[in-house]
């Protein structure tokens, strides 16, 4: 597939956004979003910082952000990747690129599936490599559990590789979870509400030992939990589309950030590196799409239903990807 370098990440955005047959995103809307967001980023400041060698403990389990995400200090403030931290605390995250708005909320059972897959890319141990990183200031707004939250005066949020970075204390106070920073050991400790409640119950019962920590619980569909036996067609397709919509939100956020980084890159070497990373991310999201659809197809077959909807998902995905390629060709002419 030959795609001009200048349009590659626009194609990635357009191709990955419409993950369900019922809720496609038009190619023109996607391009308009990229243009608007690019203008905002160019008008903002870029900072250069050094990543920090930090330990992160979530519900007693050591995790590290996926490749390309960091923890850093700036103006005596510790900044962390919002999506990674929120996912590790069992929170869903959505990104409205057009309005530059981040929403953090309690996840549905299907969103927990995506969160679990995301955290599988987080390693329990990793050798630290010092690196200089450049981040773009992004004037984003934040909603936590339905409440608007503003960054403290004098602090900002930043964008790198599709990830939004926010001050640790701001996240802790906004998300309503226990997040602490130990300056001496360079350790961030965060506990989900479920984990804290478990520990409270264990301590109150006098068992003398805490529960076994789990980085991310295995989600259970409502139909399976009810013990109703055969799954309904509506349950299977409904849960599938919820998973696809959650994946859509994650892919849009990540690929949008890479696209903006590509547009702002100053030299061809940097552009090529960003392009490669964009292709890798797109491949990963396509794999997740295929996995979700394959799982739905198996459930439909096992319960004796038509699998025609599966082809609709795939056709819509390929159709929108083709629209992206057509726009890329136009941009090259």
């Amino acid at each position: 597939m030959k795609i001009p370098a200048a349009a590659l990440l626009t194609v990635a955005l357009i191709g990955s956004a419409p993950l369900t047959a019922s809720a496609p995103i038009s190619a023109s809307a996607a391009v308009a979003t990229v243009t608007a967001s690019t203008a905002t980023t160019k008008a903002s400041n870029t900072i250069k910082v050094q990543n920090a060698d930090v330990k992160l403990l979530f519900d007693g389990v050591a995790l590290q952000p996926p490749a390309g995400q960091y923890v850093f200090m700036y103006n005596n403030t510790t900044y962390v990747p919002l999506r990674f931290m929120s996912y590790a605390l069992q929170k869903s995250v959505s990104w409205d690129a057009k309005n530059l708005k981040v929403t953090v909320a309690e996840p549905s059972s299907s969103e927990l599936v995506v969160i679990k897959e995301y955290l599988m890319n987080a390693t329990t141990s990793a050798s630290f490599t010092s690196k200089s990183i450049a981040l773009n200031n992004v004037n984003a707004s934040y909603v936590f559990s339905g409440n608007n939250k503003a960054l403290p005066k004098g602090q900002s949020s930043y964008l790198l590789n599709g990830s939004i970075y926010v001050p640790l204390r701001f996240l802790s106070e906004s998300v309503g979870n226990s997040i602490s920073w130990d300056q001496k050991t360079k350790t961030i400790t965060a506990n989900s509400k479920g984990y804290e409640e478990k520990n409270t119950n264990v301590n109150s019962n006098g068992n003398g030992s805490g529960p076994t920590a789990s980085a991310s619980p295995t989600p259970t569909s409502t139909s399976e939990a009810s013990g109703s036996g055969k799954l309904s067609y509506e349950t299977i397709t409904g849960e599938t589309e919820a998973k696809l919509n959650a994946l859509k939100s994650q892919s849009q956020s990540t690929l949008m950030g890479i696209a903006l980084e590509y547009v702002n890159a100053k030299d061809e070497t940097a552009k090529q590196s960003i392009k490669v990373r964009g292709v890798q991310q797109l491949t990963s999201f396509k794999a997740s799409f295929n996995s979700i659809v394959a799982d739905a197809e198996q459930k439909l077959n096992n319960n004796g239903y038509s699998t025609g909807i599966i082809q609709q998902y795939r056709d819509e995905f390929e159709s929108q990807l083709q629209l992206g390629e057509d726009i890329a060709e136009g941009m090259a002419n």
Side-chain angles (χ1 to χ4, degrees):
M1 181 171 63
K2 282 191 165 183
I3 302 175
L8 175 67
L9 295 177
T10 302
V11 173
L13 278 168
I14 297 168
S16 64
L19 293 175
T20 70
S22 60
I25 293 181
S26 70
S28 59
V31 172
T33 299
V34 172
T35 303
S37 297
T38 300
T40 301
T41 302
K42 284 186 175 180
S44 62
N45 297 324
T46 297
I47 64 167
K48 290 186 177 181
V49 296
Q50 203 77 17
N51 62 325
D53 187 6
V54 172
K55 297 177 183 177
L56 298 102
L57 293 176
F58 295 95
D59 292 353
V61 177
L63 293 175
Q64 286 296 320
Q69 295 187 25
Y70 311 94
V71 176
F72 64 89
M73 301 285 294
Y74 183 67
N75 285 345
N76 296 318
T77 299
T78 302
Y79 282 81
V80 293
L82 174 63
R83 184 178 294 276
F84 169 74
M85 294 289 292
S86 298
Y87 276 11
L89 291 169
Q90 315 301 313
K91 303 288 185 181
S92 69
V93 182
S94 62
W95 166 245
D96 181 348
K98 182 178 181 180
N99 298 304
L100 300 178
K101 183 173 75 173
V102 178
T103 302
V104 179
E106 295 298 325
S108 64
S109 59
S110 55
E111 287 173 327
L112 275 173
V113 174
V114 176
I115 291 173
K116 182 178 179 181
E117 291 180 355
Y118 179 92
L119 290 176
M120 287 176 65
N121 294 321
T123 57
T124 55
S125 62
S127 56
F128 175 76
T129 302
S130 180
K131 184 176 182 179
S132 178
I133 53 178
L135 303 97
N136 294 313
N137 183 300
V138 57
N139 188 25
S141 60
Y142 297 90
V143 178
F144 289 85
S145 300
N147 298 313
N148 293 320
K149 299 287 185 179
L151 285 164
K153 187 176 181 180
Q155 295 184 355
S156 302
S157 50
Y158 299 94
L159 181 67
L160 174 68
N161 296 345
S163 296
I164 296 287
Y165 289 79
V166 297
L168 177 64
R169 183 175 295 278
F170 166 72
L171 177 60
S172 174
E173 294 175 351
S174 300
V175 83
N177 287 75
S178 171
I179 306 177
S180 62
W181 164 247
D182 188 327
Q183 176 66 31
K184 185 176 180 180
T185 63
K186 306 293 183 184
T187 301
I188 293 174
T189 303
N191 296 324
S192 65
K193 288 184 178 179
Y195 179 79
E196 291 184 337
E197 289 172 359
K198 242 183 178 181
N199 273 336
T200 300
N201 291 335
V202 168
N203 291 334
S204 63
N205 290 335
N207 291 342
S209 62
T212 301
S214 172
S216 54
T218 302
T220 304
S221 69
T222 54
S223 52
E224 290 173 335
S226 67
S228 58
K230 182 177 180 178
L231 300 175
S232 71
Y233 179 84
E234 290 74 17
T235 294
I236 297 171
T237 55
E239 289 182 353
T240 298
E241 294 198 6
K243 292 176 186 177
L244 292 174
N245 281 325
L247 178 62
K248 165 186 167 180
S249 176
Q250 180 186 341
S251 63
Q252 280 183 309
S253 173
T254 301
L255 293 170
M256 175 65 74
I258 296 176
L260 295 177
E261 189 180 353
Y262 181 92
V263 171
N264 288 314
K266 303 300 183 183
D267 59 80
E268 189 59 31
T269 299
K271 286 180 178 291
Q272 288 300 316
S273 175
I274 296 168
K275 184 178 74 171
V276 169
R277 191 167 69 249
V279 171
Q280 291 173 341
Q281 286 287 357
L282 180 58
T283 300
S284 173
F285 289 131
K286 282 184 177 179
S288 296
F289 170 82
N290 288 328
S291 175
I292 292 171
V293 171
D295 179 63
E297 185 172 22
Q298 182 178 9
K299 287 181 179 178
L300 289 170
N301 279 322
N302 290 345
N303 289 275
Y305 300 121
S306 167
T307 59
I309 188 69
I310 300 300
Q311 192 57 48
Q312 291 183 40
Y313 294 146
R314 295 189 184 281
D315 287 347
E316 185 63 31
F317 184 89
E318 293 300 326
S319 173
Q320 294 296 321
L321 183 58
Q322 183 60 54
L323 282 175
E325 292 181 31
D326 292 342
I327 287 178
E329 292 296 336
M331 290 172 66
N333 296 330

